[in-house]
Amino acid sequence: MNQILLEEHLFFNLTASTVVVGICYLLSKNPKTKDYVGFLYLFGIPLKGVFFYKSFSFLFLEGLSLSLQEKVNILLPILLFLAVEVLFLSKILKQSPSS
C-alpha cells in the first residue's frame, strides 16, 4: 500500500471518529438525548463502515490481493480509532449532567 493511500485512510478514520465523538458529546449535553447516546453510537459504527466502503471501494475488489502487511495497515487504524472512540464515549457517558 502506498504512502498516500495510508495517509488518506488515517485521515478518513480521524475525521470520522472526530465527527462521531463530537456528535455524541453534543447529544450528551441534552438531558433528553443523553440516555440514547450509546444507541446512536452503535448506529454510527455501521454507518461509518458504509462511508469507508464508499471511499475505499477499490480495496474490496475480488481480483485485488493484498499482502498481510497491507491488510494489517488497513485493519489496525480502524481498530485503534474504534478503541479511542469507545474510550471517549465511556468518559462522556460517565459525566454527570451539569445543572
Side-chain angles (χ1 to χ4, degrees):
M1 187 183 318
N2 61 21
Q3 185 67 25
I4 295 172
L5 177 62
L6 184 59
E7 289 173 2
E8 289 176 7
H9 181 62
L10 289 172
F11 182 72
F12 172 84
N13 281 303
L14 177 67
T15 305
S17 294
T18 303
V19 168
V20 167
V21 170
I23 290 172
C24 289
Y25 177 75
L26 292 175
L27 291 174
S28 72
K29 294 302 178 189
N30 185 351
K32 292 180 181 178
T33 58
K34 182 167 175 56
D35 294 336
Y36 304 106
V37 170
F39 296 113
L40 293 171
Y41 174 71
L42 289 177
F43 173 73
I45 293 173
L47 191 62
K48 193 170 86 168
V50 168
F51 283 119
F52 181 82
Y53 178 77
K54 292 289 184 182
S55 298
F56 300 100
S57 58
F58 61 91
L59 292 174
F60 301 97
L61 297 174
E62 287 183 31
L64 184 66
S65 65
L66 300 172
S67 68
L68 180 61
Q69 181 182 4
E70 290 172 329
K71 291 176 185 176
V72 169
N73 285 342
I74 293 169
L75 189 59
L76 196 60
I78 292 172
L79 295 176
L80 175 71
F81 282 101
L82 182 65
V84 170
E85 287 176 18
V86 169
L87 177 71
F88 277 112
L89 188 65
S90 68
K91 299 283 185 189
I92 290 170
L93 292 177
K94 285 183 184 178
Q95 290 178 349
S96 60
S98 56
S99 300

